[in-house]
Amino acid sequence: MVIPVSSLIEGNESIVADIANYTETPSAKMLPIIRMSALSGCNPGWASYLLCEHVFNGQQKIMVLGGGCSVATAQIAAFSHLFNLIQVSYSAASPQLSNKSEYPLFLRTQQSDLAQNIGRIAILKHFGWKRVATLYQNEKFFVMVIDDMIVKMRENDINLLASLSFNYHPSADLDILKEEDARIIVVHSYEDHARALFCEAYRQGMYGATYAWLIPGWYSDDWWKTEDSHINCTLDEMKKVLESVIETVQDSKGPDNVTNINGETYAEYEERYLNILSSRPEYKWVIPHMWHGLGYDAVWSMALALNASIDEVALGRTNDSHGSVRSKRLDDFTYTDSVMASIFRKSFYNVSFQGTSGRVWFNEHGDRIGRMAIYQILGDAPPVDEQRWTYEVISINETLSITVSILACLGIVMAAVFLGINIIYRDHGFIKLSSPRMNNIILSGAILVYLSIMPLGMTQSPFELSEYMRTISCIVGKWLLSVGFTLSFGSMFAKTWRVHRIFTNMKPNTTAMQDSLLVLFVCILSIFDIVLLTSWQVIDPCHVFRKELHINIAQDNTKTLYQTNSCSSQYVWYWLGALYGLKGLLLLFGCFLAHETRNIQVEGLNDSRQIGVSVYNIMVSCLVGVTLTLALENNPTLSFAFTSFPIFLCTSITIVMMFIPKIRVIVKDPKGGDYLRKRTREGLTVSSTMSDLNQQCAIAKSESKTTLHTNME
Ligand SMILES: NCCCC(=O)O
């Protein structure tokens, strides 16, 4: 970029007019301004060399335009003022350039990148991101921006997870960020470092809806496509990471429909600029960049400052080539003219015009006051700044819960009806022979077992229940099931034990075991239960807690932890082992009795067939139920189904098999007369006394086609 300053001065025209024509007359006749940006290539050493070349060789220059990169700009701005050169950059964004004691004659139409931090904080607050990490290239420029960002984060209650500098190999830094579970990462670096960073981020899977990378928006167009020996990612891979990128940058486009100082809207200006680039062979190498508008405005501000300086400069006196004294002109500037330099400087601070990038003016640091633009969130939804968890408690299906409760109630009603019949017809010969007292205990036990089903399901009930209620119901359920089982099967086996004793050990006149002895036997079994359950409750009480089932990760990376209420204690398996051991021994005893008495065919007296079927049901149900319950522990509904239905079925089958035949006999012969006659004919009388029972048993024994070979022999 060049400014034909001499035509302005000599023709006494407005410099504005010449500048406005600048883009159309690039081969201007004079080159009084040093253009630094494209020449320095962001190389501080090379930039220094070029400035010296311009100063010490060739035509006198009056100002420096550029450079583009802060690293090169800062390098020359540190000494360009020693030549009294005003330096105006249209692109250098480092905050260090705001330091007027180091860079007194430096100005820029580019904002300091500290302004980006205001935009970044706004973004963080907008999305409610409170956990943020920063990552920066190890250069003073980036360190300063990130330092300021950290201060602003602190002021806004945003937590800094980590602040790391990186080079071309950021893998260790990304490891740390992952350890910190950082998802929102503010990056400040040049684009070559950003390429290395995002390639590594791809390798480490740090992209997608989970991450947001906040980067400077001033990288060149398609910066991620640039061939780079530091990276080995494909364009598709790079693109994936870039979908998680948010860019913040100074808005270099003026507002729509506002005309600039040259009477053009931004669109008209840009069209003209692009036409010039494409129509002139000398610009074939120029890649259109967002900075052209700021460059255009920088040149305008130089022109305006120079124009505004003319009168004050003219107050100075100098000798012309003929030795006569005249007023100073702009082109009288020399590298030792600090007076003129300070006039120029003062003029710059008064510059205010509508540029192509918006209104242009400079603050006390020589920095542009401008607007911020935020570009693109390509992801579907903004990520979250930390792993967000939701919790869902899985309960038993409501329908199953209600169905099982209804079944349990029906079971209770059925057992109660059987119990009523058993009590009402206790003197019926057929009932009497089957030990009505023990039948009552069997049915009471069955009712307890039915009752246990509901509290067992209440632990994982879908209905609103307090934790206390769930804990209580879990404990009550265990007690009911355990004691009910013992009462039912204990009584059943006790009855069979008596039959077994009668048919194996009794001499004809020996007294049979009395009911009280059988009840005592059942009580002893129950005491084992009570002692065990009480010890369990006292030593290692059960409590309800949330058991983790599985985790589901949604598209927005929100994790849902599925839980269920579980009732357990620390040593639950030992207690269950002891409880199952007791019940197992009882069942084994029942199996043994059922087997021993299997051929005693005295109707109503011997339950061995029912016992056999019941024990078989229980064994199969326990095996299937326990296996499926363990296998389906992540599915409370199925797990409860495989617990409650077997309990219901085993209990129901057992009492139905026992009591339906009795009811059938009662229905056929309510008074028991036929039965009495039949048994009398057979020589087996029915009496209410134990001695009668002994007698009946003795007769039954003699009649029976028993095959108790071992015992009999
Ligand atoms: N506007 C580009 C910023 C780059 C730099 O200051 O070096």
Side-chain angles (χ1 to χ4, degrees), residues 410-709:
L410 289 177
I412 291 168
V413 170
M414 179 170 71
V417 169
F418 290 165
L419 187 61
I421 292 171
N422 190 63
I423 291 169
I424 293 166
Y425 291 95
R426 62 184 175 282
D427 291 327
H428 189 289
F430 191 69
I431 300 294
K432 185 168 277 186
L433 193 61
S434 72
S435 305
R437 287 193 196 92
M438 299 314 287
N439 289 347
N440 289 346
I441 302 177
I442 291 171
L443 288 167
S444 305
I447 289 173
L448 294 187
V449 171
Y450 284 128
L451 278 173
S452 75
I453 295 177
M454 283 183 278
L456 283 177
M458 274 163 71
T459 304
Q460 294 171 313
S461 167
F463 304 109
E464 203 61 45
L465 283 176
S466 67
E467 199 182 310
Y468 176 74
M469 276 304 293
R470 290 180 195 270
T471 305
I472 292 292
S473 62
C474 150
I475 296 165
V476 168
K478 281 188 176 66
W479 275 78
L480 290 174
L481 181 61
S482 186
V483 175
F485 179 92
T486 302
L487 291 182
S488 282
F489 286 92
S491 308
M492 204 186 301
F493 299 156
K495 272 172 47 175
T496 313
W497 184 24
R498 176 161 66 190
V499 174
H500 178 256
R501 280 285 303 273
I502 290 168
F503 283 85
T504 53
N505 298 326
M506 267 179 52
K507 308 276 183 302
N509 291 323
T510 310
T511 307
M513 293 166 78
Q514 297 204 358
D515 275 359
S516 53
L517 192 63
L518 301 189
V519 171
L520 181 68
F521 170 74
V522 175
C523 285
I524 290 169
L525 290 178
S526 302
I527 285 169
F528 276 120
D529 269 357
I530 290 166
V531 168
L532 186 59
L533 288 168
T534 308
S535 311
W536 185 355
Q537 192 51 38
V538 171
I539 298 168
D540 183 27
C542 282
H543 61 277
V544 168
F545 65 97
R546 289 279 160 83
K547 183 175 151 194
E548 295 178 4
L549 299 179
H550 58 272
I551 293 168
N552 182 54
I553 305 174
Q555 229 183 355
D556 67 353
N557 200 43
T558 303
K559 290 188 177 169
T560 305
L561 176 60
Y562 290 93
Q563 302 168 302
T564 191
N565 288 312
S566 183
C567 180
S568 190
S569 64
Q570 196 179 353
Y571 304 106
V572 62
W573 289 109
Y574 295 108
W575 297 110
L576 283 179
L579 208 58
Y580 288 152
L582 274 183
K583 310 292 175 214
L585 284 177
L586 185 61
L587 286 177
L588 272 181
F589 180 55
C591 283
F592 165 75
L593 292 174
H595 180 266
E596 290 290 285
T597 58
R598 67 192 181 281
N599 289 321
I600 298 172
Q601 293 176 353
V602 180
E603 200 183 1
L605 180 67
N606 186 21
D607 292 328
S608 66
R609 198 158 55 90
Q610 290 93 321
I611 289 173
V613 174
S614 299
V615 172
Y616 174 80
N617 283 342
I618 289 167
M619 292 294 192
V620 172
S621 302
C622 278
L623 274 179
V624 174
V626 170
T627 311
L628 287 177
T629 303
L630 286 177
L632 297 168
E633 65 176 356
N634 283 1
N635 188 329
T637 296
L638 285 180
S639 182
F640 180 61
F642 282 108
T643 308
S644 55
F645 281 116
I647 293 176
F648 173 79
L649 286 175
C650 288
T651 312
S652 303
I653 290 171
T654 302
I655 62 172
V656 163
M657 279 179 52
M658 270 191 158
F659 289 93
I660 290 295
K662 294 180 178 50
I663 291 170
R664 280 173 57 197
V665 170
I666 291 169
V667 169
K668 265 205 255 162
D669 177 19
K671 296 227 159 62
D674 294 347
Y675 180 76
L676 182 64
R677 278 190 290 283
K678 181 173 171 242
R679 298 316 297 169
T680 308
R681 252 198 332 273
E682 289 169 353
L684 184 63
T685 56
V686 176
S687 165
S688 60
T689 63
M690 266 315 292
S691 58
D692 290 333
L693 179 61
N694 290 336
Q695 188 191 355
Q696 291 153 17
C697 289
I699 294 164
K701 181 181 173 186
S702 65
E703 285 182 342
S704 173
K705 300 177 188 70
T706 182
T707 52
L708 303 172
H709 301 299

Side-chain angles (χ1 to χ4, degrees), residues 350-361:
N350 290 325
V351 159
S352 173
F353 67 99
Q354 191 63 40
T356 192
S357 60
R359 177 142 290 277
V360 179
W361 68 72

Side-chain angles (χ1 to χ4, degrees), residues 42 68-71 90-94 110 113 141-142 190 218 291:
C42 284
C69 304
S70 290
V71 286
Y90 53 87
S91 168
S94 172
Q110 157 79 57
D113 262 2
F141 168 19
F142 306 109
Y190 280 129
W218 42 252
W291 308 118

